[in-house]
Amino acid sequence: MNQDFLIRMASGWFYLSCLVLGSLGSMCILFAVYWMQYWRGGFAWDGSIYMFNWHPVLMVSGMVVLYGAASLVYRLPQSWVGPKLPWKLLHAALHLMAFILTVVGLVAVFQFHSHSNIAHLYSLHSWLGITTVVLFACQWFLGFAVFLLPWASLWLRSLLKPIHVFFGASILSLSVASVISGINEKLFFSLKNATKPYASLPSEAVFANCIGLLVVAFGLLVLYVLLASSWKRPEPGILTDRQLLLQLGPGSRPFPVTYMPVTTRQPREPW
């Protein structure tokens, strides 16, 4: 099996996964918008039920799709070489955009509850969701302070990196769980009349259940790409065979990977 074929196969699988993720993420957002527009009456920003309709759309867009995309920045082969700072900024910026969408989504649901005299934070869905958002906020500020600002020493970054990675995947998993419980809760509240109960599985229930399955599929694929060791950003001087193939272009020759002795430890990680 020649090298060009291996290169095409390795890069093909990676970019195919990215294409599938992009398609799934777009479908999650578009389906959520269609659900709220077609079955729930559309959108407004006036404290009414139509203001609530922003909540599922923004939470799916921010906490799941954009968060997942931000998590995969360091899986792009282009990020494996050259300065790390631009990729850190992109990683932080995408997460910040996801957090802003999340906050706006929370404002929508809290204002609707206040306007309709509905209690706040009483359901398991709300507890799970607010816990996820708090963890997300802590994760972002810790990442910004330790990994983006230049003050932190290399040993501190090395100590906190596994924790940062663990909570990144955990927050995505909690986000998916929050979205699924939220879809289920919305259907129970909306489809409780005698003509179209949830148990009879009307078209809205089928459609919303499909959104939940799309969100699960997106989350699982993101976690797979995150956990696949061959797609992780390699440590300096260390490349797996698959990582090497992903960096090479068709027709190019593999370059040797050398290991240089290090006699002194740098106080800070280079940008």
Side-chain angles (χ1 to χ4, degrees), residues 71-72 75 168-169 172 221-229 231-232:
S71 301
L72 296 179
R75 298 302 180 264
L172 178 61
L221 187 53
V222 170
L223 291 174
Y224 172 75
V225 176
L226 283 175
L227 296 175
S229 59
W231 288 343
K232 292 180 180 179

Side-chain angles (χ1 to χ4, degrees), residues 225-261:
V225 176
L226 283 175
L227 296 175
S229 59
S230 55
W231 288 343
K232 292 180 180 179
R233 179 184 173 97
E235 298 297 330
I238 302 175
L239 284 174
T240 67
D241 292 340
R242 193 169 184 180
Q243 288 167 340
L244 182 59
L245 289 173
L246 281 169
Q247 283 193 326
L248 292 172
S252 61
R253 295 180 177 275
F255 52 86
V257 179
T258 58
Y259 300 86
M260 301 297 294

